[in-house]
Amino acid sequence: DIVMTQSPDSLAVSLGERATINCESSHSVLYTSNNKNYLAWYQQKPGQPPKLLISWASSRESGVPDRFSGSGSGTDFTLTISSLQAEDVAVYYCQQYSSPPFTFGPGTKLDIK
Amino acid sequence: QVQLVQSGAEVKKPGASVKISCKASGYTFTRYYMYWVRQAPGQGLEWMGLINPTDGRRNYAQKFQGRVTMTSDTSTSTVYMEVTSLRSEDTAVYYCARSLGSHLPHDYWGQGTLVTVS
């Protein structure tokens, strides 16, 4: 199985400041046949199911604010929130969907400083 | 609009079985794979497996092989997941989630079903 790790476990950022969350996979999730990274980011708020933010490592879903961006390739990925808003307080998970089981990272809890 | 509506909370004793449903609406049911993901209290997300509602093809995480069965009913646009031999560690919120294919992220999720084993 591909193991996903995230760092940090938690972070607190001031409103309007940048938040950066890292995700690492134990095996590359880049398919050379189509040059796509099979990596997604989700946001989960308390009492709610996860919400898909980003697919293919860097493709923002429709309706997701452009302050959210994803980057990286192969085994190392980053989710960046350029200017933190109060409604961004949540737990963020990365997930690889290149090889079943489609494992998730352990999550990063984001709070306001 | 797309909706995945799951069955209600369950309380089960150790050793029992539970069957959870997930009814889809607002899209063509057979065009999307359905997945199951669980989340123990205060913990992260755990991927359990998938089912192709069109042909019933399944892929279970090895951890759940032999204890989990996923089925689909195209006449009612509903998928089911049965978990047998329940133990306390199975206490969790169970989510269904759809994807357009077998190697795609999950764009819509059900509201979750809490299963308590006690």
Side-chain angles (χ1 to χ4, degrees), chain A residues 6 32 39-41 52 57 68 75-76 81 105 108 111:
Chain A
Q6 289 183 231
T32 54
L39 190 285
W41 288 96
L52 178 62
F68 290 90
T75 61
D76 294 287
I81 307 171
T108 294
D111 275 316

Side-chain angles (χ1 to χ4, degrees), chain B residues 22-90:
Chain B
C22 171
K23 183 171 176 58
S25 62
Y27 70 97
T28 302
F29 178 66
T30 50
R31 285 195 64 203
Y32 287 77
Y33 286 60
M34 201 69 81
Y35 296 73
W36 291 91
V37 174
R38 76 177 185 180
Q39 186 170 38
Q43 302 300 309
L45 302 168
E46 184 173 29
W47 192 87
M48 299 181 69
L50 66 89
I51 182 168
N52 180 343
T54 300
D55 59 15
R57 185 171 62 90
R58 309 165 184 87
N59 188 328
Y60 302 142
Q62 188 166 12
K63 173 178 180 176
F64 300 104
Q65 294 268 6
R67 274 210 312 137
V68 164
T69 303
M70 298 176 188
T71 55
S72 70
D73 182 345
T74 55
S75 68
T76 60
S77 300
T78 303
V79 295
Y80 300 90
M81 181 178 67
E82 183 174 28
V83 185
T84 61
S85 302
L86 288 166
R87 33 209 189 227
S88 59
E89 310 90 87
D90 294 316

Side-chain angles (χ1 to χ4, degrees), chain A residues 42 44 56 93 95 97-98 102, chain B residues 39 47 102-104 106 110:
Chain A
Y42 297 87
Q44 187 179 33
W56 309 113
Y93 295 93
Q95 181 200 27
Y97 48 96
S98 71
F102 296 159
Chain B
Q39 186 170 38
W47 192 87
S102 62
H103 286 69
L104 286 168
H106 315 314

Side-chain angles (χ1 to χ4, degrees), chain A residues 1-10 20-29 39-41 71 74-79 92-96 102-109, chain B residues 45:
Chain A
D1 297 0
I2 296 177
V3 177
M4 307 299 290
T5 56
Q6 289 183 231
S7 62
D9 295 335
S10 64
T20 300
I21 298 170
N22 300 301
C23 173
E24 184 176 342
S25 59
S26 62
H27 295 80
S28 176
V29 298
L39 190 285
W41 288 96
S71 62
T75 61
D76 294 287
F77 301 90
T78 300
L79 174 70
Y92 292 84
Y93 295 93
C94 59
Q95 181 200 27
Q96 64 81 18
F102 296 159
T103 43
F104 292 88
T108 294
K109 186 169 187 235
Chain B
L45 302 168

